[in-house]
Amino acid sequence: YQESIRRPSSAHINNLLVYVADNVSEIITGAYTGDLEFAMDGVLTIQSIFECSKRISDDSSDAKAATTSFGKKLSDVSHKLLKEHWPEETKMNKSNVGKLLTLFLEHSTDRMSSLTSLVNDVLLELPHTEKCKGPVENYPTCSSSSFGSYYTVVISYLW
């Protein structure tokens, strides 16, 4: 006689994944490390957890809520990292700033408001910085060197 092993439901697995994603989020946003590459590894980890959640999710409301939770988490974490003051030697480019902007907008609960804010509070502010070089006060990841990443991502979401 062999006892049957009961598999956890997708809702239960998603709850565990949410817990893991919450902890990763806390690690990368809760303490300043000054290491954007480390933060990006954490963001990509949350994104991977999100993709796993979508693969195992069924049509239950719990599974849908977990999936929505991951999207919001990705957007919130990305937004927070975009507003972070990174060390001067940190390279800002499409693989970090561009990725963060994409995740922020892709999973934003109010994409139009987020786009409006990026245009008005970031893109239109760079010319008002000293010698138009930035960084923008509220979004220090936007400077003359990362402007192309901001512009490209914002324009792609406006279409």
Side-chain angles (χ1 to χ4, degrees):
Y1 167 74
Q2 182 179 2
E3 288 186 44
S4 65
I5 298 174
R6 185 172 163 227
R7 292 181 150 199
S9 68
S10 64
H12 180 69
I13 293 171
N14 272 324
N15 286 337
L16 294 173
L17 290 173
V18 167
Y19 179 72
V20 172
D22 285 345
N23 283 303
V24 172
S25 171
E26 183 60 31
I27 290 168
I28 61 176
T29 62
Y32 179 72
T33 64
D35 187 345
L36 182 55
E37 190 174 326
F38 174 78
M40 290 305 300
D41 286 342
V43 168
L44 296 176
T45 299
I46 296 170
Q47 187 178 21
S48 294
I49 293 169
F50 178 50
E51 295 301 321
C52 288
S53 173
K54 287 194 310 189
R55 282 197 307 268
I56 65 163
S57 291
D58 53 25
D59 288 334
S60 73
S61 60
D62 288 342
K64 288 178 183 173
T67 302
T68 301
S69 171
F70 286 119
K72 182 171 178 359
K73 178 145 321 289
L74 274 170
S75 183
D76 292 348
V77 166
S78 296
H79 190 226
K80 184 169 184 179
L81 294 175
L82 286 166
K83 296 180 92 170
E84 189 71 53
H85 290 274
W86 298 100
E88 209 170 287
E89 66 274 5
T90 303
K91 300 278 189 253
M92 303 290 174
N93 54 47
K94 66 180 178 184
S95 66
N96 49 40
V97 171
K99 180 70 172 180
L100 291 173
L101 283 163
T102 298
L103 291 171
F104 168 54
L105 291 171
E106 182 177 331
H107 300 289
S108 176
T109 54
D110 185 356
R111 188 175 296 162
M112 199 55 176
S113 175
S114 297
L115 281 165
T116 301
S117 174
L118 287 173
V119 168
N120 293 332
D121 301 336
V122 184
L123 297 178
L124 293 177
E125 286 300 313
L126 186 61
H128 300 290
T129 63
E130 186 177 334
K131 296 183 182 177
C132 297
K133 291 189 180 269
V136 173
E137 186 177 338
N138 292 328
Y139 284 82
T141 54
C142 184
S143 65
S144 59
S145 64
S146 63
F147 179 81
S149 295
Y150 268 85
Y151 183 80
T152 302
V153 172
V154 167
I155 290 299
S156 72
Y157 277 91
L158 287 173
W159 298 118

